[in-house]
Amino acid sequence: TAAAKPAATAAAASPPKRRMGKVEQKLEGLSRDQLRDFIKAPKTAMEARTALKSISHDSKLVAEWVETVPPKQFWKLFKSAGSLEMDHLCAIVKALSAHCVSAGAARTVKVLRYLAKSSRFALNIAMVDDDTTEALESMFKRLETEADKGVEGVDAVEVEAIKDRYL
């Protein structure tokens, strides 16, 4: 019984395990390559949420997923209430900031424009964490620089208007 006490103490000290959903159970232990199966253009908000839930921990995978979605499709996917969750918005913003601005500033502006039209956007953006706010600030500085350079499809007035929605 003396050996059982340390094990019981260790079990009591660790936080309780969160119950995983069906999607999380299927994804647990999958490699990055296996997760790439979720990187396809979604047709419905449910497909988008499932994909984002499965890859949101990896900003490179989220960036690859964002590249599969036509910019206008973001508004269509997330126009109904509750379809764009705050943590998914954070994942998309961080991926755009880390991987997409340099690859295509004009496309990034379009994605940001259509995401800002999603249902409950103002509520979601008001609750983002500090890391996401920093990513937004960094991304908009780079977009403003691209606009100043005269990059095609990146208009300074539009970037400022979109920035006002996000920050």
Side-chain angles (χ1 to χ4, degrees), residues 6-159:
T9 306
S14 65
K17 261 194 156 178
R18 187 176 70 86
R19 187 171 173 212
M20 292 192 295
K22 290 179 183 177
V23 171
E24 290 170 306
Q25 288 172 355
K26 288 180 184 176
L27 299 173
E28 189 176 37
L30 291 182
S31 71
R32 192 166 205 241
D33 288 334
Q34 290 169 318
L35 287 172
R36 276 203 166 79
D37 291 340
F38 287 92
I39 300 175
K40 60 183 178 182
K43 294 181 179 91
T44 65
M46 180 60 84
E47 287 179 5
R49 281 195 308 270
T50 300
L52 285 167
K53 187 173 189 173
S54 64
I55 62 174
S56 62
H57 66 281
D58 186 329
S59 68
K60 182 69 175 158
L61 289 175
V62 175
E64 290 177 27
W65 179 83
V66 166
E67 290 294 320
T68 69
V69 182
K72 281 187 177 182
Q73 188 71 11
F74 283 97
W75 176 77
K76 293 174 184 174
L77 288 170
F78 301 125
K79 66 183 175 184
S80 64
S83 59
L84 178 61
E85 297 174 12
M86 190 261 310
D87 55 337
H88 297 156
L89 176 62
C90 291
I92 292 170
V93 164
K94 289 175 185 176
L96 286 170
S97 180
H99 305 287
C100 296
V101 174
S102 58
R107 188 174 197 291
T108 299
V109 169
K110 288 178 184 177
V111 170
L112 291 170
R113 180 187 333 133
Y114 287 108
L115 274 175
K117 293 180 178 186
S118 65
S119 177
R120 297 182 356 166
F121 174 79
L123 177 65
N124 283 330
I125 204 68
M127 296 188 309
V128 298
D129 57 27
D130 292 340
D131 290 342
T132 303
T133 302
E134 288 175 18
L136 282 165
E137 289 169 350
S138 170
M139 178 172 41
F140 279 111
K141 282 180 187 173
R142 287 181 283 151
L143 289 172
E144 289 166 344
T145 301
E146 296 293 310
D148 291 342
K149 288 180 186 176
V151 172
E152 188 176 338
V154 184
D155 178 64
V157 174
E158 182 179 19
V159 169

